Every structure is written in structure tokens, then in C-alpha cells.
Amino acid sequence: MPGVQKVLFVCLGNICRSPIAEAVFTHIVKERGIQNKWEADSAAIGGWHVGNRPDHRARETLKNHSIEYNGRARQIESDDFNEFDYIFGMDENNISNLKEEAPRNSKAKILLLGDFDPEGDRIIRDPYYDTGSAGFEKCYQQCVRSCKAFLDNHN
Ligand SMILES: *[C@@H]1O[C@H](CO)[C@@H](O)[C@H](O)[C@H]1NC(C)=O
Ligand SMILES: *[C@@H]1O[C@H](CO)[C@@H](O)[C@H](O)[C@H]1NC(C)=O
């Protein structure tokens, strides 16, 4: 019987998209009663926001959907590429950053989260510089669809 599978969600700063994705994934896993099979975390490509809580709009989006999140930003480390089974990027530039950073022959499969979206919305645009919060809600919906579809295909 396989052990726990670990997934890491990665975006530029770990304060908008990737914490939403992590919180959504963990929430779905609990809803489905499969928390003994999956563990999730998130991390940043860059170190600008290390130690910070997510952007207030990301926190509000999660709160609006009654999803808890207590994580703080951290930067991805080379060990992560062997610690995690799956590493999800949010957009294509950042996927190529991750592939460059991955040590040779590391374990993690590096995937684009949006590739699992049944509606085909592949790129999770960074809503950080938006003035409003609509981009955060859209990001949340994309994460819900993609995480559900990923879990449907990997159970
Ligand atoms: C949260 O819900 C409130 C009330 O519906 C809404 O005004 C607000 O824009 C939502 N926040 C986000 C970040 O989506
Ligand atoms: C991806 O990450 C790099 C930093 O490594 C950044 O310069 C770039 O803007 C990011 N791409 C997007 C679309 O966020």
C-alpha cells in the first residue's frame, strides 16, 4: 500500500495563488475523507514575502468560502524536489523556473495545475497587482476545479 503522497503548490511569492491552491486542496481532501493519503504545502519561487501571511484578499477569498488557512510564506528549497511527489506551478514561466531549479533525477513530477482544469483554463493569472478581488475569486474557482480533477485521476 502506498504511503502518503505529498503535493506542493508553487507561485511567485506564496501569498496569493499557491496558498489558495494549498488551502483548497487540503479542504477537498478532508471533504472526501482521504486526508490519510494526501498532504499539501505551498512555497514561493522568490523570497520577497517569506514569513508573511497570504495577501488580505487571498485570506478574504478563503474566508468567504469557509476555508481555513494558517500557513506563512516560504521559499522553495532543493530538498522539496525529492520530498514532494508532485509540484504544481500556476503559470508557464514559473514552471520553467521550477524545471531549471530541480536537481537532476529528483522525484517530484512538475506539473501545471491548470492542466487539470476540465474547463481548460490552464493559466492561473497572478491577481496580486489587481485593484479589486475578482481575480482572487477566479483563482479560487480554478483551483477548486483543477484540484478536484487531479484527485479524481489519482485516487
Ligand atoms: C467576499 O464576500 C463579500 C460578500 O459577498 C464580497 O463583497 C467580497 O468581494 C468577497 N471577497 C473576495 C476577496 O472575493
Ligand atoms: C515567474 O517567475 C519569475 C521569477 O523567477 C518572474 O520573473 C516571472 O514574472 C514569473 N512569471 C509570472 C507569469 O508570474
Side-chain angles (χ1 to χ4, degrees):
M1 185 180 133
V4 174
Q5 303 218 68
K6 299 184 70 174
V7 303
L8 183 68
F9 297 95
V10 178
C11 66
L12 207 47
N14 194 206
I15 56 164
C16 294
R17 296 171 290 176
S18 61
I20 291 177
E22 177 198 349
V24 162
F25 186 91
T26 302
H27 183 78
I28 295 167
V29 158
K30 276 192 197 141
E31 248 176 18
R32 294 186 177 187
I34 51 175
Q35 59 270 52
N36 57 333
K37 290 190 180 161
W38 295 96
E39 260 177 49
D41 193 6
S42 62
I45 289 172
W48 311 280
H49 302 290
V50 167
N52 293 350
R53 297 170 70 198
D55 184 275
H56 66 96
R57 292 163 297 175
R59 297 207 306 267
E60 193 183 297
T61 303
L62 292 171
K63 203 168 142 212
N64 277 0
H65 294 282
S66 308
I67 295 180
E68 249 186 273
Y69 187 75
N70 297 311
R72 288 183 180 262
R74 73 171 178 93
Q75 194 169 8
I76 192 165
E77 296 168 4
S78 61
D79 284 353
D80 289 326
F81 292 92
N82 280 309
E83 175 71 16
F84 287 87
D85 299 283
Y86 298 94
I87 296 181
F88 289 106
M90 303 290 144
D91 60 54
E92 266 155 347
N93 289 346
N94 293 145
I95 284 283
S96 53
N97 292 145
L98 288 171
K99 286 191 170 154
E100 277 163 27
E101 258 188 70
R104 279 180 74 78
N105 303 319
S106 48
K107 169 173 91 171
K109 290 194 183 73
I110 299 174
L111 302 172
L112 190 62
L113 180 60
D115 271 341
F116 292 91
D117 186 347
E119 292 182 17
D121 204 353
R122 297 179 65 230
I123 305 302
I124 302 187
R125 188 181 56 82
D126 187 355
Y128 181 59
Y129 294 104
D130 292 6
T131 43
S133 53
F136 286 82
E137 178 62 26
K138 178 167 191 253
C139 166
Y140 168 85
Q141 298 295 346
Q142 287 180 291
C143 290
V144 169
R145 293 196 302 265
S146 294
C147 289
K148 282 186 173 166
F150 170 79
L151 284 165
D152 289 345
N153 286 319
H154 293 82
N155 56 16

